Amino acid sequence: MNKIIDGKMISNQLKNELKLEIDKLDRKPCVVDIQIGENDASNIYIRNKKREAENIGMKFIHIKFDENIDEETIINKIYELNKDDSVNGILIQLPIPDKFNQKKLINCIDPIKDVDGLTTENIGRLFLNEEGLISCTPNGVLKLLKINNVDISGKHVVIVGRSNLVGKPLIELFLREDATVSVCHSKTINLKKYTSDADILVVACGVPKIIKKDMVKEDAIVIDVGINKIDGKISGDVDFDQVYDKVSLITKVPGGVGPMTVTMLLYNTFYSYKKMNGLYDE
Amino acid sequence: MNKIIDGKMISNQLKNELKLEIDKLDRKPCVVDIQIGENDASNIYIRNKKREAENIGMKFIHIKFDENIDEETIINKIYELNKDDSVNGILIQLPIPDKFNQKKLINCIDPIKDVDGLTTENIGRLFLNEEGLISCTPNGVLKLLKINNVDISGKHVVIVGRSNLVGKPLIELFLREDATVSVCHSKTINLKKYTSDADILVVACGVPKIIKKDMVKEDAIVIDVGINKIDGKISGDVDFDQVYDKVSLITKVPGGVGPMTVTMLLYNTFYSYKKMNGLYDE
C-alpha cells in the first residue's frame, strides 16, 4: 500500500473537476489578488496562482500597488471590487509592509468574496459552524484526509501550531468531524507526550523537522503543513525519512498540503461565484 | 488551605469594584434584556440579572415580546436600541421560540453592545485575538482562575464540551494563556484518558456528575460549568464529593461558575459603556 498522500495528484484531480464545471459557464469566475509592495516569494506565489486559475478557465487579476501608496487608495479599490459583480474572489497577498493595517484592509473585503477566509466575519462563521468561506490551507488539510477516506470521528487529532491561518481553523474543522482535538505550540511542555498519542498528527509550527520518529505513534496519520527553506531546500516540520516507516499515511513536503492551498483558493472562488449567481445547491 | 474556589465571593468582590466605578458616573451604564415568549427559567434569570445590575447602580431594561410577535418588530427594536446612546448592552434572553431565527436576531445587535459576546463579529474577534466582547461564562471561568493566581501557561487544560457558548470560546481563551488545550465531547473515545491527564479540567457538557474520582489527576484544578437539575436539586458535571479529596482547587455547583456569568455580563456592559464614552484606557 502506498503510504504517501499525494497532494499534487489530489489537487490536480480537484482542479480537473473544477475545470469541467467552469467550462460549462458563459461568464467565468474571477479572482483578484492585491499585492502591496515588492516581495520575491509573493511574486512567485502570485504567478503560480495566476497559472493555476487560468488553467481551469478562471479569470485572475493581479493588482500591484507601490509600497508608497496610501491606505485609502487600497481601501477604495477593495470597495470598488466588492461592488463589481464580475469579481467573485478578492484576496490580499500576505505579507504586506508593516505600515499598513492588515486587519483593517482584510476586513474591507466583502465576506462573500473573502476567498482566503480571513475576515473576522468568516472566522466567526467558522467557529459558530455557520456557512462561510474557510481559509485555504486548513480546508485543504481536511480535503486530503477525506479524499483518502480517513475516518476522523472519535480520533485523537493533535495539532502542533496555533496560528490564525492554520492551527486555529483546524481546531474547529476537526471538532466538526467529531475528533478529540489537542492543540500544542511553542509553550507546550513535553510536546512528545501529545504527539505520540495522536491518531492524526497535523504539524503547522514552522520548525523544520521538529517531529522525530519517537514522537509519532505506530500507524499514525501525519499531515505536514510546514514549508521551511534550509540551505535552499524545502523541508517540512516533520522528519519524513525518520517517521515514514512508522506511520500509516503521510504527506510529503513539497507535494503534500502545499498544492492544496492554491486549489482550495480556486475552490473557494468557484463557491463564491455560485453563491453570487444563485447556483449553490449543496 | 481552602480548596474551594468561591465563585459567589469572587463575584461579589468584582461587583463591589464595579459599583465603586459606577458610583462616580453621572450617566449610568444601561443593559437591555430582550425576552421573546414565556419561559419560567428565563423569568428567574432575568429577575436575577435585574437585581444584580441595579445593586451596582446599573440600569436594567427588560423588554418582553409576546411569542406571536413578528420578527421584523424585534429587529426594528434592536436597531433602535443600537442607535440609542444611552444603551450600552443588548442581549437576547435564550432560549427563544424555535420559529425565530436566533442567529439572525443576535447578529442584528451592534457588536459593541453585544454583551453576551454571541455575534459572529465578536466570535471572530475572539478567535483572531482581537479586542471585543467575550461571552460571559467562559470569561468568568478565566477570571476565577486568574483571581486564584492559577498559572495557566504550559499547563494541560482539558475542556469537556464543545458548545459555541462555553467550550469553544474557552479553547481560545486558554490558548491565549499559553496552555496546551485538549477538547473532549460526546464522541470522545476513552474520556478518562484525557481528563486524568488534565492539570486544569473544565467540564461543560451538561451530563450530571460525569467526572468521577478515577478521571481526575492528583492535585488537578477542576472547574465545573455544569448546571443540572436532578430531583429538584442542582448538580454539576463533576461528582464533587468523589473528587474533592484528590484535587487542589475546585468550584462548587451552585456557587462556582454560575454567579460569575451574571457578573461578567455587568462587567461587559461596563466595558461597552467605557468604549462608547471614550473612557476605556487599558
Side-chain angles (χ1 to χ4, degrees), chain A residues 245-265:
Chain A
D245 283 342
K246 208 171 175 185
V247 300
S248 67
L249 275 175
I250 187 167
T251 59
K252 267 191 127 165
V253 177
V257 175
M260 292 300 287
T261 299
V262 177
T263 301
M264 297 318 286
L265 176 74

Side-chain angles (χ1 to χ4, degrees), chain A residues 177-195:
Chain A
E177 301 294 327
D178 292 333
T180 300
V181 179
S182 295
V183 194
C184 302
H185 44 77
S186 56
K187 298 290 166 56
T188 291
I189 295 165
N190 196 357
L191 179 62
K192 182 182 155 181
K193 183 180 94 176
Y194 301 95
T195 60

